[in-house]
Structures are given as structure tokens and as C-alpha cells.
Amino acid sequence: MAPLLFARLQADVDLKIRRGAWYRVLDLGDLQAVIEVNRQPVSVLRAWLEIQRRPPLRWSVVSPPAGSRKVPAELGPEYGVCPNCRARSPLPKRARKLQCRR
């Protein structure tokens, strides 16, 4: 049985997946990886992904691409992504801990 893997974008590319969000890896090839996004398989170049053996235990800090319209303005230039539910949250200045609102 293949190990359970998780991946997120590590490259600044224009794909229809959320930056900083971790996705389950369905298939891992030499050049391509297939990840599960909203219960649908999505093929991504493996070089664009950070791949881990377990889901993250810490918040991810995300900088959306310049001019991104999909990111709400109240999140600011950087925001945090919860490791449990993937909810996005604004980052307070000099925050040492974040708590998910969910």
C-alpha cells in the first residue's frame, strides 16, 4: 500500500487551487502529481509542489499573487491557513499563536 501523502503549491503559478492549502496526493509520477481538489483529481507538475508524508501541524503563511481578485481584501497582504480546516485568517502583527475561528 502506498503511503498517504499531502502536497501544496511551492511555486508562484496561476492554478485553480488555493495557495497554502494542503491537498491529498492521489498519484505521484516522475514529472506529474495528481492531487485531490474539491473531490476532483487535478494534475500538477511535481516540481511546483511541496510534498509531505503527513498533513501540516502548523499554520501556513500565504502571500497571494499580486492583483489576485479571489482573496478578500480584509485578509491583507499575507494570511494564515489553518492546518485542520484550511480556513483563512488575517495575520495580526507579531503573532506567536493563531486560533481558528471555526
Side-chain angles (χ1 to χ4, degrees), residues 16-53:
K16 304 290 184 199
I17 62 177
R18 286 179 41 191
R19 298 179 194 296
W22 290 86
Y23 298 95
R24 191 165 65 92
V25 176
L26 301 175
D27 187 36
L28 195 58
D30 291 337
L31 297 176
Q32 294 280 333
V34 179
I35 59 175
E36 182 180 29
V37 180
N38 296 325
R39 298 186 184 99
Q40 298 293 318
V42 175
S43 182
V44 179
L45 281 176
R46 186 174 173 170
W48 292 348
L49 297 173
E50 174 185 347
I51 299 171
Q52 302 277 330
R53 290 194 180 273

